[in-house]
Amino acid sequence: MASFDSLHKPENNSPNIVNPLNIEEFRRQGHMIIDFLANYYQNIENYPVLSQVEPGYLKKLLPNSAPNIPEPIETILQDIQNHIIPGITHWQSPNYFAYFPSSGSVAGFLGEVLSTGFNVVGFNWISSPAATELESIVMDWLGKMLELPQTFLFAGNRGGGGVIQGTTCEAMLCTLTAARDQILSKIGRHNIGKLVVYGSDQTHCALLKAAKIAGIEPRNFRAIKTRKSAAFELSPESLQRAIRLDVEAGLIPFFLCATVGTTSTTAIDPIGTLCDVAKDYGMWVHVDAAYAGSACICPEFRHYIDGIEKANSFSLNAHKWFFTTLDCCCLWVKDPVALNNSLSTTAEFLTNKASDSKQVVDYKDWQICLSRRFRAMKLWLVLRSYGVANLRNFLRSHVDMAIRFQLLVESDDRFEVVVPRTFAMLCFRLLPTALEKKQNGFNKNGHKVDEEYTNGINRKLLGSVNASGQVYMTHTLVEGIYVLRFAVGATLTEDKHVIKAWKVVQETADAVLTAV
Amino acid sequence: MASFDSLHKPENNSPNIVNPLNIEEFRRQGHMIIDFLANYYQNIENYPVLSQVEPGYLKKLLPNSAPNIPEPIETILQDIQNHIIPGITHWQSPNYFAYFPSSGSVAGFLGEVLSTGFNVVGFNWISSPAATELESIVMDWLGKMLELPQTFLFAGNRGGGGVIQGTTCEAMLCTLTAARDQILSKIGRHNIGKLVVYGSDQTHCALLKAAKIAGIEPRNFRAIKTRKSAAFELSPESLQRAIRLDVEAGLIPFFLCATVGTTSTTAIDPIGTLCDVAKDYGMWVHVDAAYAGSACICPEFRHYIDGIEKANSFSLNAHKWFFTTLDCCCLWVKDPVALNNSLSTTAEFLTNKASDSKQVVDYKDWQICLSRRFRAMKLWLVLRSYGVANLRNFLRSHVDMAIRFQLLVESDDRFEVVVPRTFAMLCFRLLPTALEKKQNGFNKNGHKVDEEYTNGINRKLLGSVNASGQVYMTHTLVEGIYVLRFAVGATLTEDKHVIKAWKVVQETADAVLTAV
């Protein structure tokens, strides 16, 4: 039996404060935060794009433990300005050209803010029907914009449909697990050690990680070699060869990940022919278009996913190059039942009439986690606030800026474009080798001018460019070549930023070449 | 070679619109959204707590495809008001008592908004040092509030530390994968089929799902029976027995998940003695305190995690009962190297001096996904905006409200408390059996009054209560008993809402009992 004596007395040292969700405080502080962020965007070009802090900087600035007594939002915002912003690498800066973009937008932001405000936990339909239904609807909208086959759409009524995951890593792990269980249910679970996963040496490392998590033997992971001369695409012949060898060795091929727009160089695997090879072995083919998928809403890029009708699943990250804030990975599958078979959970506390009726989608059974945020809101806002025509134009404007940058690179004969550009990312490098070969393979200071030397120069170039704080780019290494990656896609980027970036690169190259 | 001819022309039918991250639009629309949400909170009690829409309702209200032309935010907000809000189950309503709370707060909201505004992708240290460093700092802050042993804290300098995951499902999958690889590296990967996972029949279904994803044989999953008479706690003796049987059968025990605050009834497993059993077999013990962990910042509840120093990992969901919006699962591990060994990725495009120096934490190697949001921001804002003393008081106020509800239930002899209450959730039911036994086991209409009958009555009671839209509660089933769960924790809930909820339950019970 409970009694009133069990009730707590407030801690003496604590002043009475208002309810943590007090509406007037919500309004007052909410408006403050909007202005704070608007000012942040206004001043964003004043900050070094790549944070220049040293490891451990923040520990020196913050207390060792949480305060006992509340602190006012004004103090906290001051600390964010003084202590946090210097430690941020500004992905929203117009001078950000690193990795791939994390393209924010007003609509994406508002959508996330709304879903944070509602703060529903949409694990199944009943826990917030709108969250589930809007997700199915916008996934069909986006699927239609991409001209995905009906087999991937709810509207197609053939069992397929889309789901919003957090990231591509999750999409890969879910599809790989589904494919694994599908084959093991036929051949017996004890054969797990024989299953083989295929990708190329350009496939995102998320695939290897997913395979490891799913218990696939690490030695049964095939990263098939690609070549610069073939634009780093996975060749169907190489795949065929690798599969045959494995089959002869008594192994069981079951999963292929093809990529449209690899991380290093935006290479494009030939989906259709790869699927034809995989089909002969009953393999699941997932197409990872994390970066480049969004461009396929433009008719002129759509052909890069030709053959998608033969794949089992397809994903792209709307949080990369589609104006939807992190995280929003759009995954379409032909056979959600395969996902559900692996990922569904049943617990009495989750049972409800709607789920029992099988009339509804319970997205918890399409993903790793039970709890899920209302991510469809932001994608919906992006699609509606900008409209299809403008979204295409925005993406094209980024491609155009990459073309302008390419023209600049090509106009300076100290530089070369390393891999042909397809989307809004250019792989280039400084090529002292070409310049200095005239001097019998040695530079003016007697250093041997070879690939290693060239890589060293480019490493130095990138380091200096980024240390300037004026722009941020990153690198990759392909066939032993150290490459600078210039990825256009930050929403605020305009022509003038691209031109400035090139000027920084050129001037830094001058300095680097003078110093060697 | 690129040429200017490659540049795109804008689609004809598209008007020129401003940059998607235009700062004036950000400010204007941002303020609108704050007012929209403030008004939502103001009116939240006018909406049925549990959405009353029918499956498929939204498809009938929205177009089949995305608009080609932009739509103004005013139209979109109108649609959210008219079409989305009716489909939302209002987890932020003060009349929400279902599942476990998803307790929002102004500070949690602001933190999420800030991190959405910065929109950094903090996979490694260099990609935004502040995101990583603040996460390590707040995880130490919260760890200290919980009096976690030094072995779990960065400050302890013994290798341990904390990480923010999305949900407990991820925390379980990561720790289970780490434990799996740790043991398989010793005994050989071919033994994966012999590994056994242990929990109780009250352990969250996320454990089974994690085990399945990680490739553990489904038949090697032990959900050890618990009893109502022992408050549904996992008995160390039962664990010991189960392990012995498995070992005798040639299997290999490697992972135990103990729970502090189970989902059905907030049962508490005895961590210390369970760890003692597990230790003899070299097992990894994870402690899942998803719901109840936050209460352990109060000295009077801290003893429920006594023995935690013997466990390998510990997690709680700050997004459940700690005022931090979804998602924010706090996971501490003694041996992050074990996590890293299973989850780290290497790719040239991710290499950087800071990571190479081993001076920094790269959280991508502590979790499933590569990309990660700046979640530490919201937890930091919650801790600072409210302070430790008030956070304790808020949690206690919820416990007190649950006690008040318990007193009301106990004052009506038609009801019983099914399981003793520990935190802010009460398991109760209507007990016509007790009332009607007097009539020789049959009710006035000749129905047999047994457990099944009682369950039916309670099912009806809950259905009617929720259909009223006035409150929302959920149920569970333990030892065949259908139980109503009344979970206090929505931030806006006050005494008056608890009293109203009880009135709704009582009045509905009157109606249900009259009708049978």
Side-chain angles (χ1 to χ4, degrees), chain B residues 49 90-91 93-101 401-402 405 424-426 428 462 465-466 470-475 484-490 492-502 505:
Chain B
V49 190
H90 302 281
W91 290 65
S93 165
N95 301 310
Y96 179 95
F97 304 99
Y99 307 107
F100 278 136
M401 285 189 264
F405 190 81
M425 200 271 282
L426 189 77
F428 72 106
L462 183 62
V465 162
N466 290 338
Q470 296 187 77
V471 290
Y472 182 31
M473 306 173 196
T474 49
H475 78 285
L484 278 66
R485 295 168 73 267
F486 186 80
V488 181
L492 293 170
T493 302
E494 299 172 20
D495 278 344
K496 65 180 179 194
H497 301 104
V498 170
I499 291 162
K500 189 189 95 179
W502 173 243
V505 170

Coordinates of all heavy atoms in Angstrom, one line a residue, chain B residues 49 90-91 93-101 401-402 405 424-426 428 462 465-466 470-475 484-490 492-502 505:
Chain B
V49 N -5.8 12.3 -27.2 CA -4.4 12.0 -26.9 C -4.0 10.9 -27.9 O -3.0 11.0 -28.6 CB -4.2 11.5 -25.5 CG1 -2.7 11.3 -25.2 CG2 -4.8 12.4 -24.5
H90 N -0.5 12.2 -29.2 CA 0.2 13.3 -28.6 C 1.0 12.9 -27.4 O 0.6 13.0 -26.3 CB -0.8 14.4 -28.3 CG -1.5 14.9 -29.5 ND1 -0.9 15.8 -30.4 CD2 -2.7 14.6 -30.0 CE1 -1.8 16.0 -31.4 NE2 -2.8 15.2 -31.2
W91 N 2.3 12.5 -27.7 CA 3.2 12.1 -26.6 C 3.5 13.2 -25.7 O 3.9 13.0 -24.5 CB 4.5 11.5 -27.2 CG 4.3 10.2 -27.9 CD1 3.6 10.0 -29.1 CD2 4.9 8.9 -27.6 NE1 3.7 8.6 -29.4 CE2 4.5 8.0 -28.5 CE3 5.8 8.6 -26.5 CZ2 4.9 6.7 -28.5 CZ3 6.2 7.2 -26.5 CH2 5.8 6.3 -27.4
S93 N 1.3 15.4 -24.7 CA 0.1 15.8 -23.9 C 0.3 15.5 -22.4 O 0.8 14.4 -22.1 CB -1.1 15.1 -24.5 OG -2.2 15.2 -23.6
P94 N -0.3 16.4 -21.6 CA -0.2 16.0 -20.1 C -1.1 14.8 -19.8 O -1.0 14.3 -18.7 CB -0.7 17.3 -19.5 CG -1.5 18.0 -20.5 CD -0.8 17.7 -21.8
N95 N -1.9 14.4 -20.7 CA -2.8 13.3 -20.5 C -2.3 12.0 -21.1 O -3.0 11.0 -21.3 CB -4.2 13.6 -21.0 CG -4.8 14.8 -20.3 OD1 -4.8 14.9 -19.1 ND2 -5.2 15.8 -21.1
Y96 N -1.0 12.0 -21.5 CA -0.3 10.9 -22.1 C 0.3 10.0 -21.0 O 1.2 10.5 -20.3 CB 0.7 11.3 -23.1 CG 1.5 10.2 -23.7 CD1 1.1 9.7 -24.9 CD2 2.6 9.6 -23.1 CE1 1.8 8.6 -25.5 CE2 3.2 8.5 -23.6 CZ 2.8 8.1 -24.8 OH 3.5 7.0 -25.4
F97 N -0.1 8.8 -20.8 CA 0.4 7.9 -19.8 C 0.8 6.5 -20.4 O 0.8 5.5 -19.7 CB -0.6 7.7 -18.7 CG -1.0 9.0 -18.0 CD1 -2.2 9.6 -18.4 CD2 -0.2 9.6 -17.1 CE1 -2.6 10.8 -17.8 CE2 -0.6 10.8 -16.5 CZ -1.8 11.4 -16.9
A98 N 0.9 6.5 -21.7 CA 1.1 5.2 -22.4 C 2.6 4.8 -22.4 O 3.5 5.6 -22.0 CB 0.6 5.3 -23.8
Y99 N 2.9 3.5 -22.8 CA 4.3 3.0 -23.0 C 5.1 3.6 -21.9 O 4.8 3.5 -20.7 CB 4.8 3.4 -24.4 CG 3.9 3.0 -25.5 CD1 3.2 4.0 -26.3 CD2 3.8 1.7 -25.9 CE1 2.3 3.6 -27.3 CE2 2.9 1.3 -27.0 CZ 2.2 2.3 -27.7 OH 1.4 1.9 -28.7
F100 N 6.2 4.3 -22.3 CA 7.0 5.1 -21.4 C 7.0 6.5 -22.0 O 6.7 6.7 -23.2 CB 8.5 4.6 -21.3 CG 8.6 3.4 -20.4 CD1 9.4 2.3 -20.8 CD2 8.1 3.4 -19.1 CE1 9.6 1.2 -19.9 CE2 8.2 2.3 -18.3 CZ 9.0 1.2 -18.7
P101 N 7.3 7.5 -21.1 CA 7.2 8.8 -21.6 C 8.3 9.1 -22.7 O 9.3 8.5 -22.8 CB 7.4 9.7 -20.4 CG 8.0 8.8 -19.4 CD 7.5 7.4 -19.7
M401 N 3.4 11.6 -8.5 CA 2.1 11.5 -9.2 C 1.7 10.1 -9.3 O 0.5 9.8 -9.2 CB 2.2 12.3 -10.5 CG 2.1 13.8 -10.3 SD 2.0 14.7 -11.9 CE 3.7 15.1 -12.3
A402 N 2.6 9.2 -9.6 CA 2.3 7.8 -9.7 C 1.8 7.3 -8.3 O 0.9 6.4 -8.3 CB 3.5 7.0 -10.2
F405 N -1.7 8.3 -7.9 CA -2.6 7.5 -8.7 C -2.8 6.1 -8.0 O -3.9 5.6 -7.9 CB -2.0 7.3 -10.1 CG -3.0 6.6 -11.1 CD1 -3.9 7.4 -11.7 CD2 -2.9 5.3 -11.3 CE1 -4.8 6.8 -12.6 CE2 -3.8 4.7 -12.2 CZ -4.7 5.4 -12.8
A424 N 7.8 5.6 -11.7 CA 6.6 6.4 -11.9 C 5.6 5.7 -12.8 O 4.8 6.3 -13.5 CB 7.0 7.8 -12.6
M425 N 5.6 4.4 -12.7 CA 4.6 3.6 -13.6 C 3.9 2.6 -12.7 O 4.5 1.9 -11.9 CB 5.4 2.9 -14.7 CG 4.5 2.5 -15.9 SD 3.8 0.9 -15.7 CE 5.2 -0.1 -16.1
L426 N 2.6 2.6 -12.8 CA 1.8 1.7 -12.0 C 1.1 0.7 -12.9 O 0.5 1.0 -13.9 CB 0.7 2.5 -11.2 CG 0.0 1.7 -10.2 CD1 0.8 1.4 -9.0 CD2 -1.4 2.3 -9.8
F428 N -1.9 -1.8 -12.9 CA -3.2 -2.1 -12.2 C -4.2 -2.7 -13.1 O -4.0 -2.8 -14.3 CB -3.7 -0.8 -11.6 CG -4.3 0.2 -12.6 CD1 -5.7 0.4 -12.6 CD2 -3.5 0.9 -13.4 CE1 -6.2 1.2 -13.6 CE2 -4.0 1.8 -14.4 CZ -5.4 1.9 -14.4
L462 N -9.7 -0.6 -21.2 CA -8.6 0.2 -21.8 C -9.0 0.7 -23.1 O -8.8 1.9 -23.5 CB -7.3 -0.7 -21.9 CG -6.1 0.1 -22.5 CD1 -5.7 1.2 -21.6 CD2 -4.9 -0.9 -22.7
V465 N -11.3 3.6 -22.5 CA -10.6 4.8 -21.9 C -9.9 5.5 -23.1 O -9.9 6.7 -23.2 CB -9.6 4.3 -20.9 CG1 -8.5 5.3 -20.6 CG2 -10.3 3.9 -19.6
N466 N -9.2 4.7 -23.9 CA -8.4 5.4 -25.0 C -9.2 5.9 -26.1 O -8.9 7.0 -26.7 CB -7.4 4.4 -25.6 CG -6.3 4.0 -24.6 OD1 -6.0 4.8 -23.6 ND2 -5.6 2.9 -24.7
Q470 N -9.5 11.2 -24.0 CA -9.2 12.0 -22.8 C -7.8 11.7 -22.2 O -7.1 12.6 -21.7 CB -10.3 11.9 -21.8 CG -11.6 12.4 -22.2 CD -12.6 12.5 -21.1 OE1 -12.5 13.3 -20.2 NE2 -13.5 11.5 -21.1
V471 N -7.5 10.4 -22.2 CA -6.2 10.0 -21.7 C -5.7 8.8 -22.6 O -6.5 8.3 -23.4 CB -6.2 9.4 -20.3 CG1 -6.5 10.5 -19.3 CG2 -7.3 8.3 -20.2
Y472 N -4.4 8.5 -22.6 CA -3.9 7.4 -23.3 C -3.0 6.6 -22.4 O -2.1 7.1 -21.8 CB -3.2 7.8 -24.5 CG -2.6 6.7 -25.4 CD1 -3.3 5.5 -25.5 CD2 -1.4 6.9 -26.2 CE1 -2.8 4.5 -26.4 CE2 -0.9 5.9 -27.0 CZ -1.6 4.7 -27.1 OH -1.1 3.7 -27.9
M473 N -3.4 5.3 -22.2 CA -2.6 4.3 -21.4 C -2.4 3.1 -22.3 O -3.1 2.9 -23.3 CB -3.3 3.9 -20.2 CG -3.8 5.0 -19.3 SD -4.9 4.3 -18.0 CE -5.6 5.8 -17.5
T474 N -1.4 2.3 -22.0 CA -1.3 1.0 -22.7 C -1.3 -0.1 -21.8 O -1.6 0.0 -20.6 CB 0.0 1.0 -23.6 OG1 1.1 1.4 -22.8 CG2 -0.2 2.0 -24.8
H475 N -1.1 -1.3 -22.3 CA -1.3 -2.5 -21.5 C 0.0 -3.4 -21.6 O 0.9 -3.2 -22.4 CB -2.5 -3.3 -22.0 CG -2.2 -4.1 -23.2 ND1 -2.1 -3.5 -24.5 CD2 -2.0 -5.4 -23.4 CE1 -1.8 -4.4 -25.4 NE2 -1.7 -5.6 -24.8
L484 N -3.2 -2.9 -17.0 CA -3.1 -1.6 -17.5 C -1.9 -0.9 -16.9 O -1.6 -1.0 -15.7 CB -4.4 -0.8 -17.1 CG -5.6 -1.0 -18.0 CD1 -6.1 -2.4 -17.9 CD2 -6.7 0.0 -17.6
R485 N -1.1 -0.2 -17.8 CA 0.1 0.5 -17.4 C -0.2 2.0 -17.4 O -0.7 2.5 -18.3 CB 1.2 0.2 -18.4 CG 1.7 -1.3 -18.4 CD 2.6 -1.5 -19.6 NE 4.0 -0.9 -19.4 CZ 4.3 0.2 -19.9 NH1 3.5 1.0 -20.5 NH2 5.6 0.7 -19.7
F486 N 0.1 2.6 -16.2 CA -0.1 4.0 -16.1 C 1.2 4.7 -15.9 O 1.7 4.6 -14.7 CB -1.1 4.3 -15.0 CG -1.5 5.8 -14.8 CD1 -2.5 6.3 -15.7 CD2 -0.9 6.6 -13.9 CE1 -2.9 7.7 -15.5 CE2 -1.3 7.9 -13.8 CZ -2.2 8.5 -14.6
A487 N 1.8 5.2 -16.9 CA 3.2 5.7 -16.8 C 3.2 7.2 -16.8 O 2.9 7.9 -17.8 CB 4.1 5.2 -18.0
V488 N 3.6 7.8 -15.7 CA 3.6 9.2 -15.5 C 5.0 9.7 -16.0 O 6.0 9.0 -15.7 CB 3.5 9.7 -14.1 CG1 3.5 11.2 -13.9 CG2 2.1 9.1 -13.5
G489 N 5.1 10.8 -16.7 CA 6.4 11.3 -17.2 C 6.3 12.3 -18.3 O 7.3 12.9 -18.6
A490 N 5.1 12.5 -18.9 CA 5.0 13.5 -19.9 C 5.3 14.8 -19.1 O 4.7 15.0 -18.0 CB 3.6 13.5 -20.5
L492 N 4.4 17.9 -19.2 CA 3.3 18.8 -18.9 C 2.3 18.3 -17.8 O 1.5 19.0 -17.3 CB 2.5 19.2 -20.1 CG 3.3 20.1 -21.2 CD1 2.5 20.2 -22.5 CD2 3.6 21.5 -20.6
T493 N 2.5 17.0 -17.5 CA 1.5 16.4 -16.6 C 1.6 17.0 -15.2 O 2.7 17.2 -14.6 CB 1.8 14.9 -16.5 OG1 1.7 14.3 -17.8 CG2 0.8 14.2 -15.5
E494 N 0.5 17.3 -14.6 CA 0.4 17.8 -13.2 C -0.6 16.9 -12.5 O -1.3 16.1 -13.1 CB -0.1 19.3 -13.2 CG 0.8 20.2 -13.9 CD 0.2 21.6 -14.1 OE1 -0.7 21.9 -13.3 OE2 0.7 22.3 -15.0
D495 N -0.7 17.1 -11.2 CA -1.6 16.4 -10.3 C -3.0 16.3 -10.9 O -3.6 15.2 -10.9 CB -1.7 17.0 -8.9 CG -0.5 16.6 -8.0 OD1 0.1 15.6 -8.4 OD2 -0.3 17.2 -7.0
K496 N -3.5 17.5 -11.4 CA -4.9 17.5 -11.9 C -5.1 16.5 -13.0 O -6.2 16.0 -13.2 CB -5.2 18.9 -12.3 CG -4.5 19.5 -13.4 CD -5.0 20.9 -13.8 CE -4.1 21.5 -15.0 NZ -4.3 22.9 -15.1
H497 N -4.1 16.3 -13.8 CA -4.2 15.4 -15.0 C -4.3 13.9 -14.5 O -5.0 13.1 -15.0 CB -3.1 15.5 -16.0 CG -3.0 16.9 -16.5 ND1 -2.0 17.8 -16.1 CD2 -3.7 17.6 -17.4 CE1 -2.1 19.0 -16.7 NE2 -3.2 18.9 -17.5
V498 N -3.6 13.6 -13.4 CA -3.6 12.3 -12.9 C -5.0 12.1 -12.2 O -5.6 11.0 -12.4 CB -2.5 12.2 -11.8 CG1 -2.6 10.9 -11.0 CG2 -1.1 12.2 -12.5
I499 N -5.5 13.1 -11.6 CA -6.8 12.9 -10.9 C -7.9 12.8 -12.0 O -8.8 11.9 -11.9 CB -7.1 14.1 -10.0 CG1 -6.1 14.0 -8.8 CG2 -8.5 14.2 -9.6 CD1 -5.9 15.3 -8.0
K500 N -7.8 13.5 -13.1 CA -8.7 13.4 -14.2 C -8.6 12.0 -14.8 O -9.7 11.4 -15.1 CB -8.5 14.5 -15.2 CG -9.6 14.5 -16.3 CD -9.2 15.4 -17.5 CE -8.6 14.6 -18.6 NZ -8.3 15.4 -19.8
A501 N -7.4 11.6 -15.0 CA -7.2 10.2 -15.6 C -7.9 9.2 -14.8 O -8.6 8.3 -15.3 CB -5.7 9.9 -15.7
W502 N -7.8 9.3 -13.5 CA -8.4 8.3 -12.6 C -9.9 8.4 -12.7 O -10.6 7.4 -12.7 CB -7.9 8.5 -11.1 CG -8.7 7.6 -10.2 CD1 -9.5 8.1 -9.2 CD2 -8.7 6.2 -10.2 NE1 -10.1 7.0 -8.5 CE2 -9.6 5.8 -9.1 CE3 -8.1 5.2 -11.0 CZ2 -9.9 4.5 -8.8 CZ3 -8.4 3.9 -10.7 CH2 -9.3 3.5 -9.6
V505 N -10.9 6.6 -15.8 CA -10.8 5.2 -15.6 C -12.1 4.7 -14.8 O -12.7 3.7 -15.1 CB -9.5 4.8 -14.8 CG1 -9.5 3.3 -14.4 CG2 -8.3 5.0 -15.7

